[in-house]
Amino acid sequence: MIVSRYLWVAACAVGLFVTRGGADDGAPGGAPVAKRVPKEVVQHGERRVDDYAWLRNKEDPAVIKYLEAENAHTAAVMAPAKGLEEKLFKEIVGRLKEDDQEVPYRKGNWVYYSRTAKGKQYPTFCRRRHVRAGDAAAPEPAEQVTLDLNSLAEGKQYYDLGASEVSDDGNLIAYAEDVAGSREFKLRVKDLRSGKTLGEKIDHVSGIKWAADGRTIFYTLQNEAKRSYRLMAHALGTPAAQDRLVYEEKDAQYELGVGRTRSGRFLVVTSASKTTAEARVIPADKPDAAPVLVAARREGHEYYVDEQGGQFYVRTNDKGPNFRLVRVAVGDPREEKWEEVLPHRDAVVLENAECFESTIALFERAEALPGLRLMNPRTGKVVPVAFPEKLCAVGPGANAEYATTAVRVEYQSMVTPRTVYDVDLGTGALALLKRREVLGGYDPAKYVTERVYATAGDGARVPVSMVRRKDYVGGGPRPMLLDGYGAYGYAADVYFSAANLALLDRGVTVAMAHPRGGGDFGRRWYDAGRMANKPNTFTDFIACADYLVNQGYTTRDTLAIEGASAGGLLVGAVLNSRPDLCRVAVMEMPFVDVLNTMSDETLPLTTQEYAEWGNPNVRAEYEWIKGYCPYTNLGAKAYPAMLVRTGINDAQVMFHEPAKYVARMRAVRTERGRTLLLKVNMGSGHGGASGRYDAIREIAFHHAFVLRELGVER
């Protein structure tokens, strides 16, 4: 698992017209920023002065007072829209089937599922005994609760379930929980036979996997910088201080992940940076065995391992950036023994290869669109899978069984809610198991999706995905909400959001740009938007916005843009370059203080991300970061109306980055009549509120702001 400054809180939403927000002249009450001592930094012979560095210390009561004053100011400015916000909240909840259950999946002698209940913030995880096919006379087995997150979250402002894993015998569940939003996960173990929580309490845990014996837990341990750097083995009932160190990753640019092949035969320990990955394997029935290296790391070589029928199947980029598939005997996995199964293809990215007993499911991407093919590795026969829409998202679902006749996938589009299919491994035929119900009379036929391409200055064709209502009576350009990310090689797949419907029904187009830096066209697209090439991400987004305006989809005065985390960096850099681009901008948990953060090795994630942004200790890399850093480059410009959101416990983009950004913008911007708000969740981290109703309230506020500033009315 590679952790990054990324988390997208989904869903776009709703609104009615209210009078546009009032002026926002200068800082709100609270601690007076100007009286604080600035921090001076000399780097590569250059002197930088940070007037707002004092905001970094959340242990300082003056900082808390300042943030609370910002929140009070935001509440006061948004008070006229409180009725709209409440209407939006009720409308979004009204689309939600509050009492619901996910599709069960089998693992061993049990079928597992989760369910939600009206009024409850969190899901409850459950299971029942598996009933064999043909045993129709058998009564339905009783439900057993494995984890009730509502009970676990009781009395807590925040609760997040991280990794969780049931032992092979089905008797125990190991899970990791975070009660602050700071990615400080603690491992716990529950006995599912008695319902009692055992004495295990291990801090700073990320990944969890059981050995086959049902008594040994392998877990990855994080250091102070939130880097997963050690694989530990814990024997139930023993003190954590006695846990065995299995492997330590000493290179600060790498971190560890632990998995297990679907066959159950091997644990796989992957050590990965942004550009390189290597794997070690441990027989699951021999937890004391030393890890065996598959192939030694070399810069730029990524490979990932699964197992089928006594052979490792390895997805590797050794022959090209889009990956090929090879296999090798588990007894001698050396690289020189690798045998090609599927060659590298210039036009198709092999994103994942999921091994089942008889078939390998190949999750691929071509023309920035996902797809699935099924391959029989013994015969070489490949069966393509046809999905209902071209512009869609497809990915693996819950597939816990190795011996199966179907692969479960999750599917959605901008008009089709999350859908679960079982795909026949022999024919590729789809069996619909469930489509998430959207209440309120939703009819997908009323909406249309479209993909268009903007042309960047260097000729690159940059996709934009859009959804809008077909019969909007206004005609001509429409108000638009345009989202962007473009980092870490993550493909920006389209998604369905029921909260978008109120936007769409009021004539707002919801759009998503796919700039370089993401993984929409594979590694080449990623490399073209990172390190020295990072400015391509920003110019691509600008090209998309300009195209949408020039082609009459929207106007500058009716365009809102938004981005979260690294997408917030995108929005900040774009606005420094083109403050005229849009009327409204929203930045959520934005990574805006890039130069200072990447220069501070004590902060979480910094060293792991040198290969994404650059290392400012290197003069050339310092210069390119300095050239686009949103905070560093704030200037005397007429910025649009803005909402900036953060969480006090954010361990990925620390809260002080957006707080400093807003403080400096207040001081330097030239247009004082436009709204500028900072909203700080004083009990959450990078993902915002954890409970589903609390999260919907945040969405309602977010979109009340956007619609208010755009002046959208029926």
Side-chain angles (χ1 to χ4, degrees), residues 163 174-176 185-187 200-211 216-222 228-235 238-247 256-258 267 269:
Y175 62 98
F185 287 94
K186 183 189 296 289
L187 184 145
E200 271 70 17
K201 292 182 180 180
I202 305 174
D203 294 332
H204 311 298
V205 169
S206 48
I208 299 170
K209 287 294 170 184
W210 287 94
T216 305
I217 302 172
F218 288 88
Y219 64 90
T220 47
L221 189 67
Q222 291 184 328
S228 300
Y229 76 118
R230 285 179 173 172
L231 179 68
M232 309 296 294
H234 172 75
T238 64
Q242 296 179 11
D243 289 355
R244 175 170 56 90
L245 174 62
V246 179
Y247 178 74
L256 291 177
V258 60
L267 292 125
V269 187

Side-chain angles (χ1 to χ4, degrees), residues 490-558:
Y490 293 149
D493 279 331
V494 298
Y495 61 91
F496 179 84
S497 167
N500 280 346
L501 297 177
L503 275 178
L504 299 171
D505 290 346
R506 288 161 177 83
V508 178
T509 299
V510 176
M512 176 189 298
H514 303 264
R516 284 173 284 187
D520 304 84
F521 291 95
R523 182 75 197 203
R524 292 188 182 100
W525 198 248
Y526 172 36
D527 287 341
R530 71 175 182 95
M531 301 293 278
N533 296 322
K534 191 61 199 172
N536 285 335
T537 305
F538 317 135
T539 54
D540 282 359
F541 187 87
I542 291 170
C544 292
D546 285 344
Y547 174 87
L548 294 167
V549 170
N550 294 337
Q551 295 297 312
Y553 288 98
T554 189
T555 68
R556 303 230 179 270
D557 200 44
T558 57

Side-chain angles (χ1 to χ4, degrees), residues 598-614:
M598 294 305 299
S599 298
D600 188 347
E601 296 180 4
T602 68
L603 290 176
L605 305 177
T606 292
T607 54
Q608 296 110 286
E609 301 207 350
Y610 284 158
E612 179 74 25
W613 312 106

Side-chain angles (χ1 to χ4, degrees), residues 277-565:
E278 70 175 357
R280 291 167 172 80
V281 293
I282 303 169
D285 60 354
K286 298 177 180 177
D288 295 331
V292 174
L293 179 66
V294 175
R297 75 181 62 169
R298 62 179 184 274
E299 179 59 33
H301 183 208
E302 296 179 71
Y303 70 91
Y304 304 94
V305 176
D306 203 346
E307 187 267 343
Q308 183 199 73
Q311 293 182 307
F312 289 131
Y313 281 81
V314 183
R315 186 172 64 92
T316 171
N317 69 347
D318 61 346
K319 300 296 184 183
N322 289 344
F323 289 87
R324 65 179 182 135
L325 188 67
V326 302
R327 63 187 166 202
V328 65
V330 298
D332 186 6
R334 290 175 297 162
E335 195 170 353
E336 56 266 32
K337 299 288 188 177
W338 290 1
E339 173 193 356
E340 183 169 273
V341 177
L342 184 69
H344 175 269
R345 292 157 292 169
D346 287 337
V348 181
V349 183
L350 179 60
E351 291 192 324
N352 198 3
E354 300 268 343
C355 289
F356 297 89
E357 187 177 48
S358 64
T359 307
I360 299 177
L362 306 171
F363 290 89
E364 302 173 332
R365 185 173 300 273
E367 289 299 316
L369 295 169
L372 171 63
R373 297 192 305 155
L374 306 172
M375 182 179 70
N376 184 319
R378 284 170 286 280
T379 66
K381 180 182 177 182
V382 176
V383 176
V385 178
F387 290 97
E389 299 160 280
K390 184 177 180 181
L391 185 56
C392 66
V394 177
N399 289 290
E401 287 291 292
Y402 178 60
T404 182
T405 59
V407 56
R408 184 159 297 177
V409 301
E410 294 190 0
Y411 169 93
Q412 61 184 314
S413 75
M414 299 180 93
V415 296
T416 302
R418 177 173 170 265
T419 301
V420 180
Y421 288 114
D422 267 355
V423 183
D424 187 281
L425 290 177
T427 66
L430 301 180
L432 175 64
L433 301 182
K434 180 173 183 176
R435 179 162 290 141
R436 180 163 290 171
E437 188 174 351
V438 180
L439 305 183
Y442 172 63
D443 180 3
K446 293 180 179 179
Y447 309 89
V448 60
T449 62
E450 184 180 5
R451 172 161 286 182
V452 297
Y453 291 84
T455 302
D458 60 1
R461 295 177 71 244
V462 185
V464 182
S465 302
M466 295 185 286
V467 59
R468 60 185 181 276
R469 181 147 177 149
K470 288 180 180 178
D471 61 351
Y472 173 58
V473 296
R478 305 184 188 190
M480 177 179 285
L481 180 63
L482 175 64
D483 172 69
Y485 187 73
Y488 299 105
Y490 293 149
D493 279 331
V494 298
Y495 61 91
F496 179 84
S497 167
N500 280 346
L501 297 177
L503 275 178
L504 299 171
D505 290 346
R506 288 161 177 83
V508 178
T509 299
V510 176
M512 176 189 298
H514 303 264
R516 284 173 284 187
D520 304 84
F521 291 95
R523 182 75 197 203
R524 292 188 182 100
W525 198 248
Y526 172 36
D527 287 341
R530 71 175 182 95
M531 301 293 278
N533 296 322
K534 191 61 199 172
N536 285 335
T537 305
F538 317 135
T539 54
D540 282 359
F541 187 87
I542 291 170
C544 292
D546 285 344
Y547 174 87
L548 294 167
V549 170
N550 294 337
Q551 295 297 312
Y553 288 98
T554 189
T555 68
R556 303 230 179 270
D557 200 44
T558 57
L559 176 62
I561 66 173
E562 67 177 357
S565 198

